[in-house]
């Protein structure tokens, strides 16, 4: 079924879309609703049709359309499409529009797939929201992301708990000296001692012992000897 002629009354787009759906021309129906949303778009009809299109590009056109026309319903659309879309591409689309925070419910719903682009986008939002507890959970449960890049970003954060996460990430990636450096700077000496012990590197432990001698911290010096040796 072809579209109504140019200049036809708007109500004909709704009828045309209805006939497209009845004839199972789902690609055409989705395109009609995107091009003429004022008269043809219906949320429930759109969601029912979009999963049946042949051309997968309509998944991403639909995401852009909802972002512009019905942003509060975008997460519902993405949830419907979750098993069909490339999640990294969805993140890229939203990043271009600077709209990552808008799709947090979707990101959380698909994070179990442990995709780097999804993890990095979600972690960015958590840093912006200063939710260090959720960030630590995200890091522990979903490890595919640029961990060193996040550590480098967080070690300069104004909040102590984020700097602790930076030290934790360095430790996870066996960059023990950098982890100890952050813990020493923040005077979280227990973290520094535990990291030195986990490193099993005499040089890291000796450097920490020298530090405690320099600052005349006998208690931490003894704790390091006990823990590392």
């Amino acid at each position: 079924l072809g579209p109504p002629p140019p200049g036809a009354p708007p109500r004909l787009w709704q009828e045309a879309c209805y006939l497209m759906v009845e004839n199972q021309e789902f690609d055409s129906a989705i395109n009609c609703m995107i091009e003429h949303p004022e008269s043809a778009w219906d949320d429930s009809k759109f969601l029912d049709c979009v999963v049946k299109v042949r051309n997968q590009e309509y998944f991403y056109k639909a995401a852009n359309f909802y972002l512009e026309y019905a942003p509060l319903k975008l997460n519902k659309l993405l949830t419907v499409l979750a098993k069909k879309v490339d999640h990294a591409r969805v993140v890229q689309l939203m990043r271009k529009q600077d709209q990552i925070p808008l799709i947090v419910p979707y990101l959380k719903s698909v994070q179990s797939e442990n995709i780097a682009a999804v993890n990095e986008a979600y972690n960015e939002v958590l840093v912006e929201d200063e939710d260090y507890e959720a960030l630590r959970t995200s890091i522990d449960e979903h490890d595919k992301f640029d961990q060193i890049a996040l550590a480098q970003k967080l070690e300069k954060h104004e909040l102590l708990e984020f700097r602790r996460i930076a030290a934790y990430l360095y430790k996870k990636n066996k960059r023990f000296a950098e982890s100890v450096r952050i813990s020493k700077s923040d005077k979280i000496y227990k973290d520094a001692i535990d990291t030195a012990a986990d490193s099993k590197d005499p040089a890291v432990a000796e450097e920490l012992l020298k530090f405690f001698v320099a600052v005349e911290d006998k208690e931490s010096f003894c704790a390091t000897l006990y823990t590392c040796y």
Side-chain angles (χ1 to χ4, degrees), residues 50-164:
V50 73
V51 296
K52 301 173 183 176
V53 297
R54 293 182 180 179
N55 185 353
Q56 294 185 358
E57 286 301 307
Y58 277 113
F59 299 154
Y60 308 102
K61 289 182 180 179
N64 277 325
F65 167 66
Y66 266 63
L67 178 61
E68 178 180 354
Y69 194 76
L72 297 181
K73 297 180 182 293
L74 176 59
N75 281 287
K76 185 178 179 182
L77 169 72
L78 293 175
T79 299
V80 167
L81 293 175
K83 293 183 179 180
K84 294 179 176 290
V85 295
D86 177 342
H87 301 306
R89 184 172 175 185
V90 172
V91 169
Q92 183 182 34
L93 283 174
M94 296 300 117
R95 195 180 292 283
K96 284 182 179 179
Q97 302 293 330
D98 197 26
Q99 293 293 341
I100 292 296
L102 183 62
I103 61 167
V104 164
Y106 158 73
L107 294 175
K108 290 175 67 175
S109 73
V110 299
Q111 200 182 14
S112 60
E113 298 185 32
N114 203 18
I115 298 168
V118 171
N119 294 336
E120 290 174 356
Y122 182 52
N123 290 344
E124 286 173 17
V125 174
L126 296 178
V127 173
E128 288 296 320
D129 290 347
E130 298 186 343
D131 190 345
Y132 57 84
E133 291 180 348
L135 179 62
R136 180 64 180 260
T137 299
S138 175
I139 287 170
D140 285 337
E141 295 181 356
H142 310 98
D143 61 355
K144 288 187 178 178
F145 62 96
D146 190 336
Q147 298 192 14
I148 298 303
L150 181 58
Q152 289 172 338
K153 178 180 180 180
L154 294 180
E155 69 175 289
K156 302 178 180 69
H157 202 283
E158 62 181 7
L159 294 183
L160 171 63
E161 289 301 327
F162 283 104
R163 298 196 298 273
R164 289 190 74 186

Side-chain angles (χ1 to χ4, degrees), residues 38-50:
E38 294 84 0
S39 55
W41 176 70
D42 175 82
D43 183 47
S44 59
K45 186 196 306 180
F46 193 102
L47 296 179
D48 182 61
C49 290
V50 73

Side-chain angles (χ1 to χ4, degrees), residues 145-206:
F145 62 96
D146 190 336
Q147 298 192 14
I148 298 303
L150 181 58
Q152 289 172 338
K153 178 180 180 180
L154 294 180
E155 69 175 289
K156 302 178 180 69
H157 202 283
E158 62 181 7
L159 294 183
L160 171 63
E161 289 301 327
F162 283 104
R163 298 196 298 273
R164 289 190 74 186
I165 291 175
Y168 172 67
L169 286 169
Y170 280 130
K171 179 180 175 180
K172 281 187 66 176
N173 286 273
K174 303 187 183 304
R175 294 173 69 157
F176 300 108
E178 288 162 281
S179 178
V180 170
R181 170 180 56 79
I182 295 171
S183 297
K184 286 193 307 183
S185 176
D186 285 324
K187 297 183 179 181
I188 308 178
Y189 295 148
K190 184 181 185 305
D191 286 2
I193 294 167
D194 289 344
T195 298
D198 288 343
S199 75
K200 296 180 170 55
D201 184 345
V204 174
E206 288 171 13

Side-chain angles (χ1 to χ4, degrees), residues 1-16:
L1 176 72
R11 65 179 182 82
L12 293 183
W13 291 114
Q14 183 177 1
E15 275 70 24

